[in-house]
Amino acid sequence: MEITQSFIMTMSRARLNMYEQRILLKIVEHGQSLLKGLPLEHNLKKLKHDLDNVRIEVPVRYILSDKTDHYEHVYSSARSLMQKIFEVYDTDTKTWYATPYIYNVSHVQKSGNLVIWVSKAFFNTLYDFTKGYSKYVLETAMLLKSPYAVRLYVLMCGQSHPITYPIEYL
């Protein structure tokens, strides 16, 4: 599945572990329904949506794509995302928002699903295309073994010209 997200979301900085990164990828995937068939090339604006404090159910096996049964890694990553703050400043309304990435997390034993809640502020940023957007393949991002590889992939996917950085700069 091809994912489209706002460039603001792509450029946001966060130190995430692999499971946290996968949880966020699944949240971004959930938000794709509004973008179906929308030609973003000519709609670089904030899209209106009716998502307000969204409940998302994610199969834990998609977060554990390394074929393990270490649910405790997913639980600790969900707790960590509840403590990390997502901040954004809306230049149009001159409003600063701060919210946990996720909140109200639950997992019923043997259900196989993790239930998380995501705030409207997160989706406002996800659908803010005023600075552009990036596209990538979700399956490829989920298979990468490190959160740094995922971040680099999302940043660089679809680049049409080479980018050169000297070793000293890196």
Side-chain angles (χ1 to χ4, degrees), residues 14-164:
R15 293 186 188 268
L16 304 174
N17 69 34
M18 195 66 240
Y19 299 108
E20 292 168 340
Q21 187 74 51
R22 289 177 180 162
I23 291 169
L24 287 182
L25 286 171
K26 297 309 273 183
I27 293 169
V28 173
E29 177 190 26
H30 180 82
Q32 295 301 293
S33 60
L34 182 66
L35 303 176
K36 296 247 191 286
L38 185 66
L40 285 176
E41 297 80 25
H42 308 294
N43 286 308
L44 295 180
K45 60 184 180 183
K46 291 181 184 178
L47 298 182
K48 301 289 184 209
H49 64 86
D50 59 356
L51 301 173
D52 187 22
N53 300 331
V54 179
R55 179 186 185 273
I56 300 174
E57 205 165 317
V58 179
V60 176
R61 73 176 179 275
Y62 291 151
I63 300 167
L64 289 172
S65 64
D66 51 4
K67 307 293 186 243
T68 66
D69 288 332
H70 296 292
Y71 278 45
E72 67 274 7
H73 295 306
V74 176
Y75 296 158
S76 66
S77 294
R79 274 192 300 276
S80 176
L81 279 175
M82 289 174 58
Q83 295 170 354
K84 289 181 180 177
I85 301 298
F86 177 77
E87 295 181 62
V88 67
Y89 180 74
D90 187 330
T91 55
D92 290 343
T93 63
K94 308 285 189 247
T95 306
W96 168 76
Y97 296 101
T99 181
Y101 278 88
I102 62 174
Y103 62 97
N104 293 351
V105 179
S106 66
H107 173 258
V108 176
Q109 191 172 0
K110 301 200 188 269
S111 72
N113 291 322
L114 186 71
V115 176
I116 57 178
W117 286 82
V118 181
S119 74
K120 182 176 183 169
F122 186 89
F123 283 102
N124 286 344
T125 303
L126 184 62
Y127 293 130
D128 184 349
F129 296 104
T130 56
K131 306 288 188 232
Y133 61 92
S134 57
K135 287 187 174 191
Y136 57 93
V137 178
L138 177 66
E139 291 79 14
T140 302
M142 292 293 285
L143 289 175
L144 296 172
K145 302 286 184 211
S146 123
Y148 306 108
V150 173
R151 181 153 168 76
L152 186 61
Y153 170 70
V154 170
L155 283 167
M156 302 305 289
C157 190
Q159 280 289 52
S160 58
H161 60 284
I163 299 174
T164 306

